[in-house]
Structures are given as C-alpha cells and as structure tokens.
Amino acid sequence: MNRTSFHCTSSIPTSFSKVCHPERSAKGATSKDLLFARIAVTLGLAVLLFPQAGHAQQAQPWTQIPIPPLHPFHPQQPKRIELKNGLVILLEEDHELPFINGSIEIRGGSRDEPASKAGLVDLYSDAWRTSGTASKDGDTLDDLLEAKAAKVETGGDVDSTSVSWSCLKKDEDLVFGIAVDLLQHPDFKQEKLMLAKQQAAASIVRRNDDASGIAEREAAKLVYGPNSPYTREPELATIKAVTLDDLKQWHDKTIVPNNIIIGVEGDFDAAAMEKTLRDVFENLPRGAAWPKPAGDFSGPKPGVYVVDKTDVNQSNVNIVGLGTLRNNPDYFALSVMNEIFSGGFGSRLFQDVRTKQGLAYAVGGGYGASYDHPGMFRVIAGTKSATTVKATQSMLAEIGELKTKPFTEDERKRAKDQVLNSFIFNYDTKEKVLAAATRLEFYGYPANFLEKYRDGLEHVTTADLERVAKKYIDPSKVAVLVVGNQQEFGTPLTELGLGKPQAIDITIPGAPQQGMGAPGNDGGEQ
Amino acid sequence: MKLFPTLRLAALVCGFAVAAHAQDLSSFEKRITTKVLPNGLTLIVCERPEAPVFSYFTIVDAGDANDPDGQSGLAHMFEHLAFKGTKDIGTTNYTAEKVALDKVEQTYAAYDEEYRKRVGRDEAKLKTLHAAFEVAQADAQKYVVPNQFTEIAEANGATGLNAQTSLDDTQYFWSMPSNRLQLWAYMESDRIANPVPREFYKERDVVMEERRMRTDSSPIGRMVEQFLATAYVAHPYHRPNVGWMSELSQISATEAAAFHQIYYVPSNIVIAVAGDVKAEEVMPVLEKYFGQIPTGPKPEEMSTVEPPQIAEKSVILKEQVQPLYLEGYHKPDYRDPDDAVYDAIQDIFSNGRTSRLYRSLVRDQQISAQAEGFSGFPGNKYPGLFAFFAVPNPGHTPTEMRAAIHKEIDKLKTTDVTDDELAMFKTRARADLLRGLGDNQGLAEQLAIYQMRYGDWRELFNQLKKIDAVSKADIRRVANKTFVDTNRTYAMVEFQPPNPGAVQQTQGGAQ
C-alpha cells in the first residue's frame, strides 16, 4: 500500500533505476527543468510555510488582500460494507465523468516473501496479469481491454498485492468481470514468468547505473539492515529460484476474503454496485488472517559510509536514522517539527543548504513515519563533489540544531498555517477521499484519523516541539552515506569526525562485468 | 515537451455518449470565459466547482530555444529568479536594495570582463574584483527576506507549487483554496511585472547543481545531451535547456533582466484558472491585477529553421553503465497537417502491451526490457524529432535494438496497420481526453497550452477531428517520408569498464 515511490518516467527518463513497464506508456517526451525536485516527504502531508511576520519594514500589500471564508465543503465519505467473511468494501460515487475505477487490495507483499526467493512478489504481480485467466490468456485480455481504452492491472508492493481496473461506465460489466476472473481463475504461465524474470534481471543489472538510486537503496539498508525484509534486493539467483508453483501458492495463500479490501470510485449507483460485489464475494470462505508485521528495528550503526562512483561530479549525501510509526502520539508534534526542519522553501534545511549557501538543488527529507513499522529519518542533498564535506557538515549542523536552537512561536505558526491552509488538498477529489479511506482501513487506523491529525496539529506547542526533538533526534545515532566520486572530494570525509569511512560493496552478485553476457535466457527452471 | 500529453487529452467532439455528463465542447463553452486584456495578456477562466479550490497555469511563450547565443540556460535561470520576490515581496527596503543590486551588477561586470580576457588577464586584479563582487553581494543580502514569495504562497495553502522550463516555453503553476484567488492574482502579476534579481548568483550555483544532477551525473542525461547536439546543426534544439556549464556559470542578472524585458510581455503570456471560481466575479479581479503589467511588443519570431539532414549521424558513448539505444528522425512542428499521423504512429508503436515495439522487442524476441517510439522530442513548437528508445536486456546490444526497430519501421512503410490498431488509437485518444477533464491542474494546463499554441483553447477538443481523419495510407505515407536513413541520428551507450587505476586509488575509502 505504500504507493508513493513508483513513478517510472517513460520516454527518455533523466534517470532510472527500475525498468519501466510498458503499460505505463509513452507520453510525449519531456525535456524540462523544474524549479525544484520534489522530495518524497515521508511524514504525512504537504509541506508548507508562512510569511515571516517579523522583519519586513516596508509596506506589505499582500496582508491587505481580503481572504473571504472558504465555501463550506463536506466531502462525502465512502460507504463502508463489511461482508460476513471479513472482506471490506468502500464505495465512493463520483458522477462528474463516465468512468469507474476500482482496486482490490490484498494483504501480503514483498516483506513476506522468503529471502531465498526475493523478487517473488514482483514476479507474481507481473506474471499474474500477463498470463491471464483460464478462459482468456493475457495477450487476449490486452487486445480486448485496449480496444475499449480500459485497464486491468495487477501490482505488488512491500505489504500488498492488488488487482485494479479502470474503464468507461458502459464497459464496467466486462472489465470488472475480467478483474474478478483474474482473482478467482488465474492461469500462471511458464512463458510469462520467464518474461517477468527477464525484465527483473534487466532491472537488477542496471541498478548501479543511477547514483541516486544507489543512495536510496543503500541508505535503507543502513537503517533496516542489509537482510531486512524491507531492504533486501531481488538478485539474479533469487529470481532464478522462483517457480510457477511459488506463484500459485502465493496466490492461494493471500486470496482470502478477510485479507481483501475493495475500493470503487466513479459513475455508479452505490446500492447496485454493492449488490454486484456481494454476489461475487459474499460466499467466499474465510481463510487464515494475514499475520501482523514483526521485525527488529534497531537503526543504523553510526559512522560514515561511502560508495565510490567515478562517473559522476555530484555526491548524493544521505544522513539516516530510524523513524517512527504514525500511531505514535508524538506523530503530530513530529509532523510540525518536520515542517520547520525540511518542509518547504522556508524550512531551516532548505534556507540554509540551498538558498543561503547554494550547495544543492535537491535537498530535503524528514523524520519519517510509516503505518505499521518504523519509518526512516532521512536527510538528503545532492552537491558537487568538491563541497561534499561542507554540505554534509551543514546538514549535520541543522540536525543538531533541532535540539539546541529553540523553536520560535513564529516557526510553529508558519508550519501550522502551511499544513492547515492546504489541508483541503487531502480530500478535494473523490479519488483522494477513497484512497485515504482505503489506506486507513488497510492498516487498521481509525476512519477519522485525518481529522484527529488536524486537531493534533492545532494543539502542538513549542514546548512539544522541544520535547520531541530531544526525545527522537540523536545525531550520535545517525549514519552518513555518500555516493560520489571520491577523487574529487578535496576535503576528506574523515573531516566529518565520524571515523574512517567504510566502503560499501555494491557489486551485483552473478552479474557479468560487461554490459552483456549474462542471464538472457537463464531466467529459471526450464 | 508537453504539448501532447494532450494527445491523450486530444478531443471529444464525436466522443462517447456523455449526454448525462455534459463533458463536450458545448458544455465547456458555457463554463469557460476568455479575455484578452488591453495590454495583450490572455486570461482563461474555467468553472469547475467540485471543491473550493482552484489551480492556475501560466505559460510564457519563451523557453531555452530563445536563449541568446552564449547564454544557454537563461530562460530556465530566469524561471528560478521568478521565485525570488518582487519590489514588495522579499525585501526589507527595496529602494536601498535596488542601489545595492546595481552595485552587484557593476562589480560582477568588472570581474567578468577581466575573467574573460584571453590575453593579459591580471590574476591579482581578478582577485580584487571578485572580492569587491563578494562585498557587494553581502551588502545586497542585508535587505533580503529569503524565500518570502514562496512562503506567502505556501502559508496560504499553495500545493504543487513549481515551475518548469523547456526549450519551447516556461510554465508556472500551483493549486490553492479558492478564497485565496485574489492573493494569487496579486502575487503572480507582481512577479511577472516586477521580478527582482536578488540572490541571483547563489541561485546560479543551485541551477549548476541541477545540471550536475540531471545531465553530468546521469548516463541517460549525458546521452540525450550528446544526441541532440548531434541531431541539430542550426536550430537551438541542439542545446541542453539547462545550458552548457560554461555559459550557465557566466550568466548575469543583467542578462536575465534583458530576457525578461523582451519575452515576459503580456502578449507572450496566457494564464488559465480552473476550479471553484465564477468568471463574472473573478474576471474583474484578474483584470485589475494582470492589466497592470506594462505592455510590450510581441517578441520577434526566430529566423532559424533546421536545414534538411543530408547524412546519417551517430554518437557512441563508452560508459561504465549498461547499454542504451536512442535514434531520431526530423519531423515537422505541431502545426503540420500530419501531426496527428505522428501521434498515431506513437500510439501504435508504444502504447501499452498491445503496442508493436512491446510485442516484438519485449514479448516475442525478448531482446529489450523497454522499447518505445515518441513524437516531438525535444519539443513540438519547432520541428522536433520522432525518436525511438530501447533498453537492451542483459546479453543484448544496442545494435540489435537498432536492427529490430528498423524492421518494425520497414513493416510500417510497406504494410498497412490493421483496422483494430487504428481504431484503438482513436478510441484511446478520446478516452484520454475525457479522463483529463476531471482535474483542475490538468485542465488549466491544457487550456493554457492550446490557447497559446493555436490561439484558441477549443482546439483541445477539435483535435479529435484530425485524429479521426488519420488513415492507414497516411501512416504509410508519413512513415516513408520520415523514416529514411539520411534523416536519422542515433546514439548508443556501450559498456566500458571504469579505468582500473582510478578504481584502485579510491577503493580504500577517503583519507
């Protein structure tokens, strides 16, 4: 369900660490430079700030502009139906356009696959759709659906798999029927598993070509451990070990109604849709509940880590530690702290590293919170090789100052205004309302969590900020990772005073040194 | 460039049975108000009262193709500058700051003149001049309220705040609660009319980091830069829109101001607003603010036209990364009567698992992890390229990609596409248009772009006529005309291990 970080750029991406799937198809080629890189904000909501009331001496015409009350707006919450077998349905009518979009979310994802078969869930979710069903193979489905500008896709993620569909209202019966057929009568085919393995192998051998991809991956390994279910990578050997039977077993194990949440949004009548879904799902027998995630989260071993990459002139600096969970009562205060620290143009980190010093274009991060396991504390910047140490020192200083530089009332107010004034963008479309409700349902959070979050933010004080910064921020527990061209650093990393830099070996096991050779056709058990 | 994510938003005239939804041109006619102000600026207001929010999209018809010689990257640099505030926003005392900023420019010009001397550069003098420049910057900095412009926007709920510059144009956009419309109009009009080049030289450092990230440190970025520099000999599409490092690193605020003077005139700008707004209420507000931008002559159109290519060209990059393949053929710009034919070829070659390149290279031959063809690279405003991009599977080479793509191209030239393929293209174009109408930001973008490019936003809907008119014979004709050897440029990335000496030196970790 963590669907934040999988946007493959089609056409000519400026970088890629994951080979795109064809169904995320070509837009017109873009060659654009943005004002700034949007860095995934790990903690909650959009990130915004407030005018510095303090120091402007001249007239401030914008303060004279009237802001009338906002038109009242009460987004309709989805209709929730829980079947006797535990399956949950969420329905959100939206009659603006003649489309219907649905998603069947199923508990269990890559964190639950065996380490020796890492990549299983990716292969499963690829081959599931491309193989097709007992009555129609995947290629036939492609022809059928594309002719109607409709989609049925299967997906896999760290904690879930899914079947989703999207179509014109007039095609709903056919398209929903295909989605259900995939769920109930999949027909996993050896040739499609092989194809999925080829694509996976292509991703694996290319994963060191992009510096920021390396940084993201290795930073997570430092925090959660290299063999953690959250960070282990599919390898050529582990994808080779996956068999057709593994896919079938995974399917049978996960497709039980009490592990499934269905969300549908669009141009339908909720009562009729409820009946359709009941007819299909009501009589499925309940199965074993999917186990809650467990794991040992101790955080990184402090120190400086380096990946040497000789074909870049910019260093990717990542400073990482362990984050928290969203159900932590301190989540609200940490969210405000995050806004102040790294939330927008006015945040301490952005103001210092980018605006004041001009050391980076991409800078950001935050104290992360996930729904059912600790997130990551991650602060990143991309800076030219020669300023690697300088930028890292600035980032470390900003982290340290969270504990020493008092949060001002002005900072607190700006952070709160940013979040609260943009709060409506959490639910300004029916798609967003349904997506949020589905997410909360999936992780077992209260349906009013968003309202509680808003109320919580309102009540955060500077004393709260000081308290959580003291409690959660510990510069002595972070790891510093640099992916860059060491010969160009100038100032050595030892200047950071965090000990001797430790080189990380990113060699890809089993991959040939050349750009060719290798797996090609040896995807697995023939 | 983005003229045609619009292909998906193509048109709707004879679309689906959507009577109940009123999402056709006539319904938009009722909800859209257009006004050209006396100063030449065009405003579009689209009423979509689904939630009390609005999105805006400003398009300036100037991109990095308009950068003066020796100043590549200037349009993009100016875009960054447009967030640094105005005479009112971002300063504690503009009158004093203006004096200080003039001094920055004087000291920079003196430094730059010495720096560029080819003969007789005086290093001691250069150092002194640079020190004076540093002092002047520090003095100007005293008046700066850093990032105040964006802070006001964000504190008032701005979301998705960003901007982008391509070779073709420059775009600014965000979304806000609808009760902030007047505040936005004040801010947007003020920064168009009165941008102040504060903190310019630090922002130039930021943009240089952007270049390092997107181009220098990215294998695909390096490949694309070399590819375009090879494909174009005369037209500015040969330059990277972020700029060559030498030129980018010497751009001055004075040059940025000159660019603004020429290109940020009202007649060169279209602004669209979509969301919970009533045209009769907001149009007077918008007129009040945007009408104050001083008028100016529409900039002169570019004279350069890329001459016909007369020989195949290539660039081979030896890199320590996995191989890649890219090729392109010159094609006309978006106004060409065959533009929709190129869209059809793109769709048939690249859209999804039914596409020819997927089925041939990925599914059947299993030589590629990804393969696509796409129209209008690096832009559409001027004649761009129809390009093909393929990512070889392990064990396969760029040369194999090239051969397999050419085989598909030959098929397109000699055999008609099927009825199903053609119908699929047209059906998807309609559906994609319709899907795009349910989003304020997407709507504002499409309306502004079509208004700018065709002089009438209705062309967004009327495109479907052109799409529906595409025939099998058109596709063969255009393929035969375009995809010829002498019109081709290709780039290959081939693997080469890193220099072993370099590896040894650095393997032990930093000292």
Side-chain angles (χ1 to χ4, degrees):
Chain A
M1 280 294 288
N2 294 327
R3 305 215 185 276
T4 46
S5 61
F6 197 73
H7 286 288
C8 252
T9 318
S10 55
S11 305
I12 300 287
T14 48
S15 69
F16 66 97
S17 51
K18 210 158 191 156
V19 174
C20 292
H21 290 265
E23 66 270 20
R24 295 181 188 88
S25 113
K27 277 187 171 188
T30 62
S31 164
K32 296 206 167 191
D33 289 302
L34 290 158
L35 172 67
F36 67 103
R38 272 286 176 197
I39 290 158
V41 176
T42 42
L43 200 129
L45 308 163
V47 195
L48 309 159
L49 288 189
F50 201 71
Q52 301 223 333
H55 44 174
Q57 292 163 2
Q58 60 175 49
Q60 300 190 330
W62 64 91
T63 58
Q64 307 307 314
I65 293 174
I67 296 176
L70 202 58
H71 296 166
F73 181 59
H74 302 288
Q76 176 201 329
Q77 285 302 304
K79 179 176 184 187
R80 182 183 186 280
I81 302 144
E82 183 165 353
L83 303 185
K84 284 187 301 254
N85 58 18
L87 187 143
V88 173
I89 295 166
L90 297 165
L91 302 177
E92 181 81 7
E93 289 186 25
D94 179 358
H95 300 288
E96 187 188 10
L97 294 169
F99 290 102
I100 294 178
N101 306 299
S103 180
I104 303 169
E105 300 286 335
I106 303 137
R107 292 200 166 81
S110 61
R111 67 182 177 190
D112 306 303
E113 67 197 8
S116 62
K117 297 193 178 193
L120 165 66
V121 167
D122 286 346
L123 297 172
Y124 165 77
S125 54
D126 264 13
W128 186 3
R129 170 63 181 77
T130 54
S131 294
T133 71
S135 60
K136 290 190 184 69
D137 69 34
D139 296 350
T140 306
L141 291 179
D142 292 338
D143 289 330
L144 199 62
L145 291 164
E146 291 291 342
K148 296 184 177 302
K151 294 277 181 204
V152 175
E153 293 298 331
T154 52
D157 215 320
V158 66
D159 54 15
S160 65
T161 61
S162 66
V163 182
S164 59
W165 74 97
S166 173
C167 61
L168 282 156
K169 177 186 187 176
K170 67 185 173 67
D171 300 321
E172 167 69 7
D173 288 352
L174 172 88
V175 175
F176 174 66
I178 290 171
V180 171
D181 201 23
L182 270 172
L183 200 71
Q184 298 188 333
H185 309 289
D187 183 26
F188 295 100
K189 291 188 172 68
Q190 188 65 29
E191 69 191 80
K192 296 299 186 186
L193 174 57
M194 288 302 134
L195 185 59
K197 286 186 178 188
Q198 283 225 335
Q199 304 238 304
S203 282
I204 291 168
V205 303
R206 288 176 183 274
R207 73 183 179 209
N208 289 342
D209 290 356
D210 170 51
S212 63
I214 297 171
E216 190 174 339
R217 181 182 83 219
E218 297 302 327
K221 284 186 181 176
L222 288 171
V223 174
Y224 295 112
N227 302 314
S228 155
Y230 291 93
T231 60
R232 67 188 167 216
E233 289 284 315
E235 300 292 353
L236 294 172
T238 65
I239 61 168
K240 190 174 175 178
V242 174
T243 67
L244 209 55
D245 271 348
D246 291 326
L247 307 193
K248 291 175 188 161
Q249 283 172 23
W250 179 271
H251 190 84
D252 294 342
K253 193 166 66 175
T254 53
I255 307 300
V256 294
N258 41 322
N259 287 335
I260 294 178
I261 296 160
I262 301 178
V264 193
E265 183 269 341
D267 190 15
F268 55 79
D269 172 70
M273 181 62 75
E274 177 179 345
K275 181 174 183 318
T276 304
L277 293 170
R278 276 189 188 276
D279 288 350
V280 173
F281 295 106
E282 198 151 44
N283 294 321
L284 297 179
R286 195 178 266 271
W290 198 258
K292 295 261 179 243
D296 176 29
F297 300 94
S298 50
K301 188 167 164 283
V304 182
Y305 301 83
V306 62
V307 174
D308 191 32
K309 195 153 168 52
T310 54
D311 64 344
V312 300
N313 63 1
Q314 188 181 63
S315 294
N316 277 267
V317 180
N318 277 233
I319 302 176
V320 292
L322 199 61
T324 188
L325 282 92
R326 282 187 194 220
N327 57 14
N328 180 343
D330 288 333
Y331 173 56
F332 312 123
L334 285 165
S335 295
V336 177
M337 180 194 81
N338 245 16
E339 296 294 323
I340 295 169
F341 176 64
S342 56
F345 279 79
S347 67
R348 290 179 176 188
L349 187 71
F350 193 99
Q351 288 272 27
D352 179 23
V353 176
R354 177 163 157 164
T355 308
K356 187 172 151 205
Q357 301 193 68
L359 287 172
Y361 165 72
V363 57
Y367 195 83
S370 298
Y371 284 93
D372 67 0
H373 65 280
M376 245 197 284
F377 175 41
R378 181 163 175 248
V379 182
I380 72 162
T383 190
K384 61 186 173 295
S385 306
T387 48
T388 302
V389 168
K390 188 179 178 191
T392 308
Q393 283 169 335
S394 296
M395 293 156 76
L396 285 167
E398 288 295 338
I399 293 171
E401 283 186 359
L402 284 172
K403 305 186 79 155
T404 57
K405 184 175 162 188
F407 294 98
T408 66
E409 197 50 43
D410 189 40
E411 282 181 314
R412 184 190 67 91
K413 181 174 179 333
R414 275 187 286 141
K416 264 175 50 178
D417 281 351
Q418 270 192 229
V419 177
L420 297 177
N421 285 330
S422 62
F423 210 79
I424 189 165
F425 291 103
N426 288 299
Y427 50 78
D428 63 315
T429 68
K430 305 266 182 11
E431 292 94 327
K432 287 185 192 171
V433 171
L434 180 67
T438 310
R439 199 156 47 235
L440 296 173
E441 181 75 38
F442 186 92
Y443 293 109
Y445 277 56
N448 65 351
F449 186 73
L450 209 53
E451 290 151 46
K452 283 172 62 180
Y453 179 69
R454 179 167 51 191
D455 292 347
L457 291 180
E458 301 252 25
H459 294 103
V460 171
T461 64
T462 51
D464 292 329
L465 293 171
E466 197 175 312
R467 180 180 57 77
V468 296
K470 289 226 160 76
K471 183 171 171 188
Y472 295 96
I473 303 299
D474 189 347
S476 74
K477 286 190 176 165
V478 299
V480 176
L481 169 69
V482 179
V483 179
N485 193 342
Q486 287 202 79
Q487 275 188 305
E488 298 180 349
F489 287 177
T491 312
L493 293 176
T494 45
E495 288 288 306
L496 294 170
L498 297 168
K500 186 177 183 302
Q502 301 166 60
I504 295 179
D505 181 7
I506 58 166
T507 309
I508 300 164
Q513 257 297 303
Q514 302 87 327
M516 24 169 50
N521 300 318
D522 84 334
E525 69 301 291
Q526 271 108 346
Chain B
M1 114 119 222
K2 223 184 219 166
L3 225 196
F4 300 127
T6 342
L7 171 67
R8 10 290 313 286
L9 278 237
L12 214 229
V13 176
C14 45
F16 306 95
V18 291
H21 301 275
Q23 294 295 347
D24 55 5
L25 177 55
S26 66
S27 103
F28 274 89
E29 294 270 10
K30 288 179 203 134
R31 296 197 275 137
I32 291 178
T33 307
T34 306
K35 182 145 199 174
V36 181
L37 303 184
N39 63 8
L41 190 135
T42 304
L43 293 168
I44 303 175
V45 173
C46 176
E47 300 180 4
R48 184 175 170 268
E50 293 282 313
V53 295
F54 76 95
S55 302
Y56 89 90
F57 193 87
T58 296
I59 178 167
V60 182
D61 197 10
D64 288 297
N66 303 103
D67 298 339
D69 279 345
Q71 298 171 29
S72 60
L74 183 57
H76 175 234
M77 190 63 223
F78 183 83
E79 172 225 298
H80 277 247
L81 197 60
F83 288 83
K84 289 293 183 185
T86 67
K87 292 172 186 170
D88 288 336
I89 304 172
T91 184
T92 55
N93 179 347
Y94 179 67
T95 313
E97 186 186 22
K98 175 77 171 73
V99 174
L101 286 171
D102 288 346
K103 180 85 176 162
V104 170
E105 286 312 287
Q106 287 158 18
T107 56
Y108 182 73
Y111 163 77
D112 196 47
E113 189 188 350
E114 188 67 23
Y115 175 80
R116 294 194 193 187
K117 273 188 186 163
R118 296 168 63 90
V119 178
R121 183 164 86 181
D122 180 340
E123 294 302 329
K125 186 180 172 195
L126 190 68
K127 217 172 152 185
T128 312
L129 290 171
H130 194 266
F133 169 53
E134 295 276 347
V135 169
Q137 283 185 91
D139 186 46
Q141 189 68 36
K142 286 184 213 151
Y143 305 102
V144 177
V145 185
N147 294 324
Q148 188 170 41
F149 184 88
T150 39
E151 283 189 18
I152 295 169
E154 292 181 330
N156 281 283
T159 298
L161 178 155
N162 216 330
Q164 53 191 13
T165 308
S166 69
L167 286 156
D168 288 351
D169 51 43
T170 308
Q171 310 172 344
Y172 301 87
F173 46 90
W174 72 58
S175 303
M176 258 183 166
S178 50
N179 59 349
R180 262 74 175 186
L181 188 103
Q182 189 180 344
L183 176 70
W184 160 75
Y186 160 76
M187 295 177 73
E188 188 74 357
S189 60
D190 197 28
R191 75 159 154 182
I192 292 172
N194 303 304
V196 174
R198 53 178 66 96
E199 300 184 292
F200 183 85
Y201 297 93
K202 283 192 293 185
E203 196 64 23
R204 194 176 69 182
D205 289 343
V206 169
V207 175
M208 285 159 65
E209 289 294 356
E210 184 175 357
R211 186 192 147 84
R212 290 185 189 100
M213 181 182 91
R214 292 187 194 283
T215 309
D216 300 335
S217 298
S218 157
I220 292 179
R222 294 191 289 264
M223 175 183 74
V224 166
E225 184 168 277
Q226 292 303 313
F227 171 76
L228 290 174
T230 307
Y232 284 90
V233 293
H235 192 271
Y237 274 177
H238 68 88
R239 67 166 69 120
N241 79 300
V242 72
W244 299 110
M245 193 60 111
S246 60
E247 298 181 358
L248 171 59
S249 66
Q250 295 181 66
I251 288 175
S252 72
T254 302
E255 290 165 345
F259 187 87
H260 173 259
Q261 180 80 24
I262 297 169
Y263 291 106
Y264 279 64
V265 291
S267 55
N268 214 30
I269 297 173
V270 175
I271 298 174
V273 174
D276 182 26
V277 288
K278 285 210 167 60
E280 61 190 49
E281 290 170 15
V282 304
M283 202 51 105
V285 176
L286 302 186
E287 281 181 67
K288 174 186 156 195
Y289 288 103
F290 291 102
Q292 289 171 14
I293 302 171
T295 191
K298 177 99 177 148
E300 196 174 58
E301 291 294 344
M302 185 182 302
S303 59
T304 309
V305 177
E306 180 70 9
Q309 187 170 332
I310 53 170
E312 182 172 18
K313 296 186 278 188
S314 65
V315 54
I316 313 293
L317 291 86
K318 308 274 189 184
E319 298 263 11
Q320 47 179 294
V321 303
Q322 298 298 305
L324 299 165
Y325 183 75
L326 174 64
E327 71 173 36
Y329 302 83
H330 292 279
K331 66 173 276 287
D333 71 34
Y334 72 99
R335 299 169 304 164
D336 189 78
D338 284 328
D339 203 50
V341 183
Y342 289 101
D343 291 342
I345 296 172
Q346 169 174 311
D347 186 79
I348 290 166
F349 264 50
S350 313
N351 194 347
R353 278 188 301 261
T354 52
S355 67
R356 290 189 171 191
L357 291 179
Y358 174 82
R359 288 203 159 163
S360 171
L361 275 68
V362 178
R363 185 190 71 179
D364 296 339
Q365 299 178 63
Q366 309 203 355
I367 58 174
S368 304
Q370 179 192 348
E372 333 183 302
F374 47 92
S375 181
F377 181 69
N380 260 317
K381 184 167 138 189
Y382 305 106
L385 302 168
F386 195 103
F388 295 89
F389 177 58
V391 177
N393 268 339
H396 296 280
T397 64
T399 311
E400 287 175 83
M401 303 302 109
R402 174 178 160 87
I405 289 167
H406 292 178
K407 210 171 148 189
E408 286 302 319
I409 290 175
D410 286 342
K411 208 170 112 193
L412 198 69
K413 288 175 172 180
T414 55
T415 315
D416 278 342
V417 299
T418 65
D419 290 330
D420 286 350
E421 285 176 312
L422 198 56
M424 201 182 273
F425 157 61
K426 294 175 182 179
T427 303
R428 293 197 287 211
R430 281 188 204 109
D432 288 344
L433 168 67
L434 201 51
R435 279 198 166 93
L437 301 179
D439 170 61
N440 288 336
Q441 189 66 78
L443 254 179
E445 174 178 342
Q446 298 306 330
L447 294 171
I449 289 177
Y450 274 84
Q451 182 70 35
M452 174 63 81
R453 292 282 162 255
Y454 296 93
D456 187 355
W457 59 266
R458 291 169 189 81
E459 196 61 26
L460 166 63
F461 293 87
N462 290 334
Q463 286 289 308
L464 189 64
K465 286 179 196 156
K466 292 176 192 165
I467 284 173
D468 273 340
V470 173
S471 71
K472 294 179 193 176
D474 287 333
I475 292 176
R476 273 173 73 167
R477 175 178 54 81
V478 166
N480 276 291
K481 183 179 85 176
T482 309
F483 302 132
V484 294
D485 294 1
T486 53
N487 190 30
R488 177 167 59 227
T489 303
Y490 67 92
M492 289 182 180
V493 172
E494 292 180 348
F495 179 81
Q496 178 173 280
N499 178 344
V503 170
Q504 227 159 25
Q505 275 181 5
T506 56
Q507 244 171 7
Q511 288 308 297

